[in-house]
Amino acid sequence: MHEASSYREVSGRLIVIGDVHGCLSELQSLIRQIQPRPEDRIILVGDLVNRGPDSAGVIDFAIQHRLRSVMGNHELRLLRARKNPKKAELKAYDADTMAQLKKRHWRYMEAMPTTLFFPEWNVIVAHGGFLPGMPWWKQKVDVVSRIQVITAKGKPAKRSEDPLGQPWGQTWQGPELVIYGHTPRPDPEIDAFAIGIDTGCAYGNCLTACILPDRKLVQVPAQARVEYDI
Ligand SMILES: [Mn+2]
C-alpha cells in the first residue's frame, strides 16, 4: 500500500525522523529540540520497535501526537509473526516486544503504509529504499522495507549479505527525493535524490530528523552507548 498525502497543509514543514527502535526519550528530546508548529507534519521512517527500551511507549507517543509512520522491517516481521506464529522466526527482542504490545499498538502497526508520498515536495518516505529501473509505486513492501544494497545481478540485499553490493541510494535517479532509514550509519547519507537518516540511535549513536523543505538535519545523541559495527 503506497499512500499519497493530501495537499491540505502545504504551509507546514515536513519533519522526517529516522529509526527510533524503542528509544522513546531520544524521540521526545528530538521533538522538543525541533519545536514543531501545529501546521507541521511529523513522519517516522519505520522501525519504531525492538532493540531499545520502550517499543510500546514509542507507539503510544506516535498515537498521542499523531505521528505517521511507514512500515519498517521490524514491524513487518512482528505483524507476520502474530498472524502466523508457527512459521515465525523470531529473535529474542521480537518476543520481548510482542509481550509489551497491546491491541492499540498492533492496530497502529497494521495501518502503516509501505511508503508515504508528498506530492507538494516530491518527496517519498520509505523504510529501506527502492530498486532502480522500476516504478517505485509498484515495489512490494518486502523490497521497500528491507533493501540496503543492490547485488551485481540487480537484486535487493542486506549489506551483511553482500558487502560489495552498491547502496541503493547511489543508483536512485529521482526525480522524487527519498528519505529513508534502515541502514544505520555514523552520519546521514546524502545522495543526489536520497537521504538516509538511520544514525543508529538504538546502537548508541544518535537519532536524526530531516526537515523539509530546507533539508535541515537535527540530531540528538543516544542516551545509552553500546558497541556495534556499522
Ligand atoms: Mn532499523
Side-chain angles (χ1 to χ4, degrees):
M1 178 182 49
H2 300 278
E3 203 177 299
S5 83
S6 72
Y7 278 85
R8 265 183 303 123
E9 301 157 273
V10 236
S11 60
R13 299 174 297 173
L14 187 65
I15 299 161
V16 188
I17 297 176
D19 298 39
V20 177
H21 279 302
C23 296
L24 176 61
S25 53
E26 288 88 340
L27 175 62
Q28 289 168 325
S29 78
L30 181 63
I31 289 176
R32 260 199 308 276
Q33 198 168 313
I34 293 169
Q35 297 190 302
R37 303 185 280 262
E39 66 273 24
D40 293 341
R41 284 164 294 176
I42 306 177
I43 310 295
L44 303 169
V45 300
D47 279 6
L48 279 61
V49 298
N50 283 346
R51 302 194 202 278
D54 195 355
S55 294
V58 171
I59 298 179
D60 278 328
F61 184 88
I63 294 169
Q64 281 156 20
H65 298 271
R66 295 174 189 264
L67 274 49
R68 295 289 315 271
S69 178
V70 296
M71 182 73 74
N73 58 307
H74 284 259
E75 285 87 17
L76 190 62
R77 190 171 63 243
L78 291 178
L79 287 164
R80 287 181 178 164
R82 187 176 184 233
K83 239 186 183 171
N84 209 338
K86 278 187 195 151
K87 272 199 191 163
E89 284 175 40
L90 291 181
K91 306 188 179 183
Y93 54 58
D94 289 324
D96 292 346
T97 298
M98 288 180 84
Q100 287 179 31
L101 299 182
K102 306 275 192 299
K103 212 168 182 182
R104 64 181 184 277
H105 305 120
W106 290 108
R107 266 206 309 268
Y108 182 87
M109 286 163 51
E110 280 162 1
M112 290 175 172
T114 304
T115 63
L116 279 165
F117 177 49
F118 299 88
E120 62 275 38
W121 309 121
N122 211 15
V123 162
I124 307 166
V125 179
H127 182 64
F130 299 108
L131 280 170
M134 182 186 177
W136 61 264
W137 59 90
K138 289 190 177 164
Q139 301 191 30
K140 300 275 189 266
V141 68
D142 288 271
V143 171
V144 176
S145 71
R146 290 199 180 114
I147 188 171
Q148 290 184 320
V149 297
I150 299 167
T151 67
K153 289 183 175 168
K155 300 277 183 235
K158 282 163 61 173
R159 197 168 42 177
S160 58
E161 292 163 351
D162 186 358
L164 298 177
Q166 189 175 23
W168 76 273
Q170 294 176 4
T171 70
W172 181 252
Q173 305 282 329
E176 299 89 348
L177 173 70
V178 182
I179 304 183
Y180 67 99
H182 186 55
T183 302
R185 298 177 168 109
D187 294 298
E189 177 79 2
I190 299 171
D191 292 306
F193 293 97
I195 302 177
I197 56 169
D198 180 4
T199 45
C201 186
Y203 300 108
N205 189 32
C206 62
L207 185 63
T208 297
C210 179
I211 304 177
L212 297 170
D214 300 341
R215 302 192 182 191
K216 186 180 156 193
L217 297 168
V218 180
Q219 299 187 308
V220 295
Q223 292 183 350
R225 296 229 157 241
V226 291
E227 295 290 318
Y228 85 112
D229 298 319
I230 288 282

